[in-house]
């Protein structure tokens, strides 16, 4: 029985310690026209990981996804109150953001904070995970 316990604990520890997940933004943001004269900024990112606690595999995996920011018009400084942030992987959206987006020449600088709620009240704000500077690629 002791050997079974030791084996189980070792297997669980190895599986847990070898699992990981990273999400890394690409160096560019795609800008395109969207419905009703609004604009869409696509922030593509790459997902890499290893393992799964659910089916005890140690396989590496790679995927891609994107977040989207919707706005009405382009200007040099865009306040967070003028934005909607949508996560493709979770299909969730955020309207209650803090911060701003700066656009100049061929760069976009994203500086946003995301609210975290408890019982319908904002308890804390955290930096948006893909804050940073991106090269703008304009698409029609």
């Amino acid at each position: 029985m002791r050997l079974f316990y030791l084996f189980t604990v070792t297997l669980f520890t190895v599986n847990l310690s070898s699992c990981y997940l990273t999400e890394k933004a690409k160096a560019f943001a795609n800008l395109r026209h969207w419905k009703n004269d609004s604009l869409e900024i696509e922030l593509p990112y790459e997902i890499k990981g290893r393992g799964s606690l659910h089916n005890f595999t140690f396989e590496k995996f790679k995927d891609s996804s994107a977040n989207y920011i919707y706005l009405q018009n382009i200007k040099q400084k865009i306040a967070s109150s003028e934005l909607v942030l949508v996560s493709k992987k979770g299909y969730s959206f955020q309207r209650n953001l803090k911060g701003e987006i700066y656009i100049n020449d061929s760069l976009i600088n994203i500086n946003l904070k995301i609210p975290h709620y408890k019982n319908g009240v904002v308890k804390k704000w955290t930096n948006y995970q893909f804050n940073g500077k991106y090269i703008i690629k304009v698409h029609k």
Side-chain angles (χ1 to χ4, degrees), residues 45-107:
Y45 60 93
E46 188 174 78
I47 303 164
K48 290 183 180 180
R50 176 196 293 263
S52 170
L53 286 175
H54 301 290
N55 49 2
F56 292 99
T57 65
F58 299 105
E59 295 177 18
K60 289 185 178 182
F61 61 88
K62 187 175 173 180
D63 199 1
S64 60
S65 191
N67 282 353
Y68 298 89
I69 298 172
Y70 295 97
L71 51 133
Q72 289 299 313
N73 54 40
I74 293 285
K75 49 190 173 185
Q76 188 171 4
K77 180 181 176 182
I78 304 164
S80 60
S81 59
E82 301 175 53
L83 307 172
V84 176
L85 174 64
V86 178
S87 170
K88 183 176 182 179
K89 67 180 179 185
Y91 300 103
S92 63
F93 69 93
Q94 290 279 345
R95 287 186 189 268
N96 185 17
L97 304 167
K98 283 187 177 180
E100 54 272 326
I101 291 178
Y102 297 96
I103 298 176
N104 54 22
D105 297 330
S106 61
L107 290 176

Side-chain angles (χ1 to χ4, degrees), residues 17 20 29 36 64-66 76 81 120 127 129:
S17 64
Y20 69 91
N36 300 329
S64 60
S65 191
Q76 188 171 4
S81 59
N127 289 329
Q129 75 181 93

Side-chain angles (χ1 to χ4, degrees), residues 32-41 68-71:
R32 61 180 63 91
H33 284 281
W34 192 242
K35 301 175 186 174
N36 300 329
D37 296 327
S38 63
L39 298 163
E40 173 187 80
I41 300 170
Y68 298 89
I69 298 172
Y70 295 97
L71 51 133

